[in-house]
Amino acid sequence: SGQCWDVTKDLDVSLMRKAAALLVGTHDFSSFRTSKCQATSPVKTLESLKVEVDDGRHYWPMRYLGDEVTRRRNLLVTATARSFLYHQVRLMVGLLKAVGCGEIRLEDVSAILEARDVRALRTAMAPAHGLYLANVEYDPKDFEDGD
């Protein structure tokens, strides 16, 4: 369909949530940016990284419903931050998937973050075709005239 990442392996959502929690906060996210990133600093504050089983309540460009034939679940990963590095979200979601299917141990997530090197990640990034910019919020104070 090209509108979601079809992962055919069983995923441990609980482990994925624990891995996500380790990434939340202010960190040097060099392990989660590619060489094309032009950000002046790799330090970003990830406000939240949630892994949810989509129950159909979320409105996206297409509503994903449970597949009754294969019994597959649809997961929704939501990242919130003031800004992101180039490919940061795709690399983080790739890590969550790798943890969820046992390719990367939960115990290794902090070491990958602390390595500050994308080569430490050892997993594929999530494809772009399942990612959507869902919301942009601006602080009205950012647009006030300075008197």
Side-chain angles (χ1 to χ4, degrees):
S1 69
Q3 295 179 326
C4 62
W5 186 11
D6 188 17
V7 176
T8 57
K9 297 180 180 182
D10 288 335
L11 297 173
D12 184 327
V13 176
S14 176
L15 276 179
M16 293 173 71
R17 288 177 176 149
K18 290 175 184 175
L22 294 172
L23 299 176
V24 173
T26 301
H27 305 286
D28 179 328
F29 280 100
S30 292
S31 294
F32 297 92
R33 73 173 181 171
T34 59
S35 60
K36 293 183 180 181
C37 184
Q38 296 181 6
T40 55
S41 172
V43 177
K44 297 290 178 187
T45 299
L46 184 61
E47 295 171 19
S48 69
L49 185 59
K50 297 179 184 175
V51 180
E52 303 169 277
V53 177
D54 189 358
D55 58 7
R57 289 181 302 149
H58 301 283
Y59 176 77
W60 297 101
M62 176 182 179
R63 178 165 270 166
Y64 301 112
L65 301 175
D67 183 336
E68 290 300 318
V69 176
T70 62
R71 300 283 186 215
R72 288 188 185 166
R73 293 184 297 173
N74 294 298
L75 300 182
L76 184 64
V77 178
T78 307
T80 306
R82 186 171 180 89
S83 63
F84 295 98
L85 299 169
Y86 187 66
H87 284 154
Q88 180 181 350
V89 174
R90 290 177 63 189
L91 288 163
M92 290 188 309
V93 173
L95 171 74
L96 296 179
K97 177 260 183 190
V99 169
C101 67
E103 295 169 1
I104 293 179
R105 297 177 323 144
L106 178 63
E107 296 79 27
D108 295 333
V109 172
S110 292
I112 290 168
L113 180 62
E114 291 166 12
R116 297 181 177 100
D117 186 343
V118 72
R119 293 173 294 189
L121 195 50
R122 307 180 328 269
T123 189
M125 73 172 74
H129 62 255
L131 299 179
Y132 299 95
L133 177 61
N135 190 27
V136 177
E137 294 180 16
Y138 295 100
D139 188 334
K141 291 182 285 187
D142 291 342
F143 298 99
E144 291 177 0
D145 290 336
D147 290 312

